[in-house]
């Protein structure tokens, strides 16, 4: 996945992390060199086709080439109840020209709640940001995997 720029410097293209939800979907984008999470936000959309279009538009606007889509696995590693919906969203994103990797999202939402609780976020503020934090955790996990030689 590494490319070199005109000066011969290696870099990883920007990546997107997605925490897919029924009503709110968290999205996080890496920094310009694909090293850490930069911007994170929530898309409020229930319709899968519209959500896929919005995620693909956000990816194009930010120069993203790959998406780490949180994949719901049970604690024993088997696909969770939302796995089929997630696989369908992955296919919709691929149809829009994005490379999609299904990424284990176990514990990301619980960890996001813990992080926000420790930061003092309560009530509505936490509800509005937990999905963005979960998307950031999905992206951070995938970026760490790539930095450690995964995907080669």
């Amino acid at each position: 996945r590494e490319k070199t720029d005109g000066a011969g410097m290696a870099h990883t293209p920007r990546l997107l992390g997605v925490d897919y939800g029924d009503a709110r979907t968290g999205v996080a984008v890496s920094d310009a060199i694909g090293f850490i999470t930069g911007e994170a936000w929530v898309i409020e959309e229930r319709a899968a086709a519209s959500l896929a279009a919005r995620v693909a538009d956000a990816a194009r606007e930010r120069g993203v080439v790959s998406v780490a889509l949180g994949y719901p696995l049970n604690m024993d590693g088997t696909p969770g109840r939302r796995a089929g919906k997630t696989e369908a969203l992955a296919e919709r994103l691929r149809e829009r020209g994005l490379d999609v990797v299904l990424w284990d999202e176990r514990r990301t939402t619980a960890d996001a709640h813990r992080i926000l609780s420790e930061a003092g976020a309560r009530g509505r503020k936490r509800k509005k940001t937990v999905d963005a934090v979960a998307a950031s955790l999905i992206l951070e996990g995938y970026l760490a995997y790539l930095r450690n030689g995964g995907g080669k």
Side-chain angles (χ1 to χ4, degrees):
R1 293 190 189 264
E2 283 192 347
K3 296 182 180 180
T4 57
D5 61 18
M9 296 291 295
H11 70 281
T12 303
R14 295 183 89 172
L15 303 170
L16 207 66
V18 177
D19 180 45
Y20 180 31
D22 285 328
R24 284 179 304 281
T25 295
V27 182
V29 66
S30 69
D31 63 341
I33 61 170
F35 191 72
I36 61 171
T37 298
E39 175 186 17
W41 68 99
V42 172
I43 297 173
E44 294 194 23
E45 179 62 64
R46 290 185 179 273
S50 297
L51 175 63
R54 291 178 68 182
V55 170
D57 287 347
R60 268 191 295 285
E61 289 168 8
R62 291 162 177 83
V64 167
V65 296
S66 288
V67 176
L69 177 59
Y71 192 55
L73 296 174
N74 295 318
M75 293 313 280
D76 66 1
T78 60
R81 65 176 180 77
R82 290 187 48 86
K85 284 184 173 184
T86 302
E87 291 163 3
L89 179 63
E91 190 54 37
R92 288 178 188 267
L93 293 171
R94 289 181 186 116
E95 289 169 359
R96 287 169 173 76
L98 294 169
D99 176 38
V100 179
V101 173
L102 296 176
W103 189 254
D104 182 355
E105 70 172 16
R106 282 180 282 188
R107 304 235 4 107
T108 55
T109 300
D111 288 345
H113 277 289
R114 180 186 48 76
I115 289 166
L116 289 168
S117 179
E118 289 172 2
R122 302 276 185 264
R124 265 187 230 183
K125 183 176 182 180
R126 181 155 66 182
K127 187 175 181 180
K128 285 187 166 273
T129 59
V130 69
D131 300 302
V133 174
S136 296
L137 294 172
I138 290 166
L139 181 57
E140 289 289 339
Y142 187 61
L143 290 170
Y145 167 78
L146 293 176
R147 280 192 304 271
N148 290 320
K152 289 187 180 181

